Amino acid sequence: MEKIFKLKENGTNVKTEIIAGVTTFLAMAYILAVNPSILSAAGMDPNAIFAATAVSAAFATLIMAFYANYPVVLASGMGLNAYFAYTVVPQLAEQGITNPWQVALTAILVEGIIFIILSIFKFRETLVNKVPQNLKYGISAGIGLFITIVGLKGAGVITTDAYYDGKAVQSSTLVKLGDVGSAPVVLALVGILIVATLWHYRVKGSILIGILATWVLGIIAQLCGWYQGASLIPDFANYSVFGPVQNMATETFFKFDFGYVAQHALNFAVIVFAFLFVDLFDTVGTLIGVAQEGNLLNEKGELPRVGRALMSDALGTCLGACLGTSTVTSYVESTTGVAEGGRTGLTALTSAILFILAIPLYPIFLAIPSFATAPALVFVGLLMIKNVTKMDFDSDIADTVGGFVAIIFMPFAYSIATGIMFGILTWVILKIVTGKIKEIHPIMWVAFALFAVRIVTMICGVSS
């Protein structure tokens, strides 16, 4: 252990690292319940998604452990999975694509390959540094709002305000409060309070405990006859230890649609760019946050071996696409393990092993309903939206308005990609109008051109 992870050099020991690894896993194990719930909305098999989520998380985290030697754990990213299921797949379905999720997986594979190339040429860090800070914070905060609305909608806390008056469908507002007397709504709201309370008292794994507590309350409600939905009790009738892995092998493994790429190159490029852009900031931001928490930055304020950490993320994304899950990225919950003293890859190794051991418990994770995972989505949304406090609203007008536009368009247009698109378009246009065109980096011109073409196709009525 000492030779591989350099424990003494990093001021830690095996016991501390293992405890830190368990803590990180508890803090982010909710993804095993949330990801199948979200991606199954795209028409994918939840059992296969569960296995793909666990295996890809373990694989990417093992690379991070042995190649980069950082206490950072990776898994299918929140926000990116929502964009996959609620934006990309519906848009592709409108075009008549039979299995739109296969196109989305293809985009993620291409994204991962691009990230590998960018990591090799050390271009990824440069790309991130040239995007305005306010826009970065705005994108992160906007994703937080988007995730929140997805969680509340899934639990029925908010619904579309539509009714039939006998002649046509009518509505007075865009959204409205759901039935506050229904079991899912009440239990979701209680779950949010449980997570918040546990977080206040710094209970390890508070988000996961909140999910499980809400689920148990749901089972009680079901046994009492209050909850009338699908059964919340795990079904072990046809249990197979590696059942999800078998499902993954037949349902989602290497299910790509390269035919769509050849016929709709521009639309596919937009999808890939959106995945690329969001994952880019998510990963780098997380690495910097974890490094600051664990005092891992060098005297220049740089993160040593950052290229290896980014390569771990890129390889994990490629494998995740091959297995059948959304983009794999570094998790900010890794800071919980760092707070427990984790400083090396041994922390990540511990978490990776736990992801593998979780696979035989799939009936439990898959029985967890959307109203039980809603508290996790809402609370992660809270953690992400706090980035808005870092924004400078009194600086350059392009930075201010660009970041704000990114924030509001994501939840209100119900699309992460739309928020990114209008945020960048607004920033570039305002830079031009205010005579600061020299401040626009070439990479921002590339993004502007791509999104401008996308806007033109929308105006002309070309399908998404």
Side-chain angles (χ1 to χ4, degrees), residues 320-336:
C322 293
L323 296 178
T325 186
S326 54
T327 305
V328 174
T329 186
S330 301
Y331 259 63
V332 71
E333 284 82 0
S334 298
T335 55
T336 60

Side-chain angles (χ1 to χ4, degrees), residues 122-459:
K122 299 181 179 181
F123 183 70
R124 204 170 168 187
E125 299 92 321
T126 304
L127 182 63
V128 173
N129 292 334
K130 297 305 177 182
V131 175
Q133 198 68 23
N134 258 26
L135 197 54
K136 295 177 188 176
Y137 292 140
I139 290 170
S140 181
I143 293 174
L145 284 177
F146 181 77
I147 290 175
T148 299
I149 198 171
V150 167
L152 294 176
K153 182 176 180 293
V157 177
I158 59 172
T159 62
T160 54
D161 183 20
Y163 63 93
Y164 184 68
D165 64 0
K167 297 180 180 180
V169 176
Q170 303 289 341
S171 64
S172 55
T173 60
L174 292 176
V175 294
K176 67 176 182 179
L177 182 65
D179 181 5
V180 294
S182 67
V185 171
V186 172
L187 292 171
L189 295 175
V190 170
I192 295 172
L193 295 176
I194 291 174
V195 174
T197 302
L198 294 173
W199 190 272
H200 169 75
Y201 288 106
R202 300 187 179 184
V203 176
K204 297 184 177 97
S206 56
I207 295 178
L208 176 62
I209 294 174
I211 291 176
L212 297 177
T214 306
W215 175 42
V216 170
L217 291 175
I219 293 176
I220 295 174
Q222 175 182 326
L223 296 176
C224 294
W226 183 25
Y227 173 77
Q228 300 293 329
S231 178
L232 306 179
I233 301 174
D235 182 10
F236 286 90
N238 298 310
Y239 177 75
S240 174
V241 175
F242 295 106
V245 177
Q246 296 172 346
N247 279 52
M248 178 183 70
T250 58
E251 299 292 333
T252 60
F253 181 69
F254 221 79
K255 299 292 185 180
F256 298 121
D257 185 353
F258 292 103
Y260 178 90
V261 180
Q263 298 174 6
H264 306 85
L266 177 60
N267 292 334
F268 184 76
V270 172
I271 295 172
V272 171
F273 185 81
F275 275 126
L276 194 88
F277 198 79
V278 176
D279 185 26
L280 214 155
F281 297 126
D282 196 30
T283 300
V284 174
T286 296
L287 288 174
I288 292 174
V290 172
Q292 290 175 335
E293 180 75 20
N295 296 318
L296 301 176
L297 299 176
N298 60 23
E299 60 279 0
K300 296 181 181 180
E302 300 172 340
L303 182 61
R305 307 185 306 280
V306 65
R308 295 190 175 194
L310 292 171
M311 181 62 78
S312 303
D313 167 87
L315 292 172
T317 293
C318 288
L319 178 74
C322 293
L323 296 178
T325 186
S326 54
T327 305
V328 174
T329 186
S330 301
Y331 259 63
V332 71
E333 284 82 0
S334 298
T335 55
T336 60
V338 172
E340 288 294 325
R343 294 293 181 273
T344 73
L346 182 53
T347 293
L349 172 60
T350 302
S351 295
I353 293 173
L354 291 176
F355 269 111
I356 294 298
L357 295 178
I359 293 177
L361 302 177
Y362 70 92
I364 296 176
F365 285 97
L366 295 177
I368 300 175
S370 58
F371 69 76
T373 58
L377 292 168
V378 172
F379 206 77
V380 170
L382 166 64
L383 298 178
M384 296 184 72
I385 198 176
K386 70 179 183 181
N387 283 288
V388 75
T389 62
K390 301 176 183 177
M391 292 180 65
D392 183 0
F393 289 99
D394 299 317
S395 63
D396 182 87
I397 191 65
D399 292 349
T400 300
V401 179
F404 176 69
V405 167
I407 292 174
I408 61 175
F409 267 81
M410 288 187 192
F412 294 149
Y414 210 70
S415 169
I416 293 173
T418 300
I420 295 174
M421 178 171 67
F422 278 99
I424 290 179
L425 289 173
T426 301
W427 184 84
V428 173
I429 292 173
L430 286 177
K431 281 292 184 183
I432 296 173
V433 172
T434 55
K436 299 179 179 179
I437 192 170
K438 293 182 179 180
E439 296 181 10
I440 304 175
H441 191 270
I443 195 65
M444 295 300 288
W445 278 117
V446 172
F448 177 80
L450 183 61
F451 286 134
V453 172
R454 175 73 183 100
I455 289 292
V456 171
T457 60
M458 294 171 66
I459 294 174

